[in-house]
Amino acid sequence: MTEADWSRWMAAAQAGDADAYRRVLGEAQVWLKRFFLRRLPPSMVDDAVQDTLLAIHEKRHTFDPSQKFGAWIAAIARYKWIDRLRASNRAETTLLDDDLSVEGHEDRVTTAHALERLLGQLKPGQAEAIRLVKLQGLSIGEAARRTGQSAALVKVNIHRGLNRMNALVMRGGDVD
């Protein structure tokens, strides 16, 4: 496939040709996988490809058929690559000492067990939203993309789930 093919398919997709859109996204997926494999750890590649395909879908109306498709997709991929690098730099890293203290370990295990039991008593969408945003630190938008929920629904699920967990704790006896 040539870049001219991609540009022609994208122009046809903008005009409503679903087959051309599937072709351009399929070719883009292959190209993006190669692009990210050279720049990111393998564990991050699939997510980066999916984020970029989603961005292409959301921004498809901005493609100018008189311009080169390759430059357009490369710019989007570059921004998504930078987003991934920033996210990985924000991830907290802790150096471990040779002498590890295990004091308080029992409390942490008990707390983690109680938290999982509480989350297990929520609706699955609520528990997943809380795990992603409150425990794993994802943004509302990232959690929405990962779960397929709207951002508003992620917020509602978190709010309702936390309220339900609070009620369970206040009632007592349901958590141990």
Side-chain angles (χ1 to χ4, degrees), residues 33 64 66 70 76 101 111 117 123 143 149 152-153 166:
K33 188 153 187 130
D64 179 356
S66 68
I76 294 172
S101 170
T111 302
R117 288 202 37 149
K123 292 180 180 177
Q149 300 174 9
L153 182 56
N166 185 47

Side-chain angles (χ1 to χ4, degrees), residues 22-53:
R22 273 191 291 279
R23 269 184 277 162
V24 78
L25 287 180
E27 291 293 322
Q29 183 174 11
V30 171
W31 184 86
L32 288 167
K33 188 153 187 130
R34 284 194 315 263
F35 177 88
F36 288 119
L37 277 171
R38 291 189 307 264
R39 291 166 175 82
L40 293 172
S43 63
M44 297 174 80
V45 170
D46 287 337
D47 286 341
V49 169
Q50 292 305 310
D51 283 350
T52 308
L53 288 172

Side-chain angles (χ1 to χ4, degrees), residues 37-175:
L37 277 171
R38 291 189 307 264
R39 291 166 175 82
L40 293 172
S43 63
M44 297 174 80
V45 170
D46 287 337
D47 286 341
V49 169
Q50 292 305 310
D51 283 350
T52 308
L53 288 172
L54 183 60
I56 289 168
H57 177 72
E58 290 172 346
K59 301 294 182 184
R60 67 188 180 277
H61 66 281
T62 67
F63 174 68
D64 179 356
S66 68
Q67 301 298 315
K68 293 184 177 187
F69 182 82
W72 184 77
I73 190 175
I76 294 172
R78 182 177 174 273
Y79 285 118
K80 291 300 177 182
W81 172 54
I82 291 169
D83 288 347
R84 288 282 160 182
L85 292 177
R86 285 181 182 146
S88 69
N89 286 339
R90 282 192 307 256
E92 187 175 317
T93 57
T94 305
L95 295 176
L96 298 177
D97 293 332
D98 290 338
D99 301 323
L100 293 177
S101 170
V102 291
E103 294 176 34
H105 180 71
E106 183 178 338
D107 289 341
R108 288 189 186 130
V109 170
T110 303
T111 302
H113 178 71
L115 179 60
E116 279 306 312
R117 288 202 37 149
L118 280 170
L119 288 169
Q121 295 181 49
L122 301 179
K123 292 180 180 177
Q126 294 171 349
E128 183 177 23
I130 290 170
R131 279 188 184 98
L132 292 173
V133 175
K134 298 298 184 181
L135 300 178
Q136 295 178 15
L138 269 62
S139 70
I140 298 292
E142 290 168 329
R145 282 191 293 280
R146 189 167 293 180
T147 62
Q149 300 174 9
S150 68
L153 182 56
V154 169
K155 290 178 185 178
V156 167
N157 276 334
I158 291 170
H159 177 74
R160 289 181 180 166
L162 291 175
N163 283 343
R164 171 91 171 114
M165 289 171 68
N166 185 47
L168 290 168
V169 168
M170 295 308 282
R171 243 190 307 176
D174 294 335
V175 179

